[in-house]
Amino acid sequence: TAKVEGVVRENGLALSGARVVFVEGPGAAAEGPEAAAFGMVQGMMEQFGQGGSKSARSGDDGTFKLAELPAGQHRLRITHKDRAMPTEIPVVLREGDNRVDVELDMTSVRGVVRDPDGNPVSGARVGAKVVSGDNQPDVGVIVESMAPGLNLGGGGGTQRTDANGEFELRGVEPGA
């Protein structure tokens, strides 16, 4: 079996409390609404400690360790409560010890939500997603609307605007 350890960093600084999840396989075919639904369910199972996935939280120094993994091409999915979206990185694991240090992009989107009269909207829910172009409903938005604040493995999910209608989404993936 394979073992992987490393450090999760954001903007060069150790990121404490990041969830690092081992995802088996290279994932090239995992696209479309079915994959999105599966990802949400998988995220929920990971959050509640189910589903047989291998995961760990990074320590105060950003370090993580995962053991008893199959060798080969796989992925690591990194989420954090303060980041708007998950990050998946491809890894090739060999039997024995492996080292994977992760540097997360520090991309942020800031803005102000205003009503049709130009007044700031307090408490509006704002989030980011990668546009698929398939015109299918977004499973995450549907679930979020049924259970506001429930994070099903997609990073920090959505947030509400402040009293001035302002928001900042940290950790938005390029192309979202």
Side-chain angles (χ1 to χ4, degrees):
T1 63
K3 202 170 25 170
V4 64
E5 63 181 64
V7 177
V8 179
R9 292 185 183 90
E10 179 185 65
N11 206 27
L13 301 174
L15 185 60
S16 174
R19 179 170 295 280
V20 180
V21 178
F22 171 78
V23 182
E24 195 163 352
E31 296 180 15
E34 294 83 10
F38 178 76
M40 288 300 231
V41 171
Q42 185 179 25
M44 181 175 65
M45 299 302 276
E46 291 161 3
Q47 186 174 13
F48 295 111
Q50 305 289 320
S53 69
K54 302 279 187 186
S55 68
R57 288 237 184 241
S58 62
D60 290 341
D61 58 357
T63 60
F64 70 93
K65 292 180 184 178
L66 297 169
E68 298 183 29
L69 307 173
Q73 292 183 1
H74 305 290
R75 294 164 285 150
L76 295 179
R77 178 181 299 130
I78 297 92
T79 59
H80 191 274
K81 65 180 180 61
D82 294 336
R83 293 181 56 87
M85 303 177 81
T87 298
E88 269 194 19
I89 60 163
V91 294
V92 177
L93 301 179
R94 66 182 190 288
E95 289 193 17
D97 295 338
N98 294 269
R99 174 123 191 132
V100 177
D101 291 331
V102 179
E103 181 65 44
L104 298 174
D105 289 331
M106 189 51 199
T107 307
S108 295
V109 175
R110 297 179 194 176
V112 177
V113 176
R114 298 185 185 278
D115 68 15
D117 296 324
N119 300 313
V121 177
S122 173
R125 190 165 296 279
V126 180
K129 74 171 196 162
V130 175
V131 178
S132 64
D134 59 10
N135 250 354
Q136 296 294 318
D138 184 329
V139 175
V141 171
I142 294 168
V143 172
E144 179 72 25
S145 68
M146 292 187 295
L150 183 62
N151 173 16
L152 300 180
T158 61
Q159 65 173 246
R160 294 207 180 264
T161 57
D162 65 15
N164 299 319
E166 297 176 354
F167 68 90
E168 180 178 7
L169 298 174
R170 201 175 104 196
V172 175
E173 289 296 310

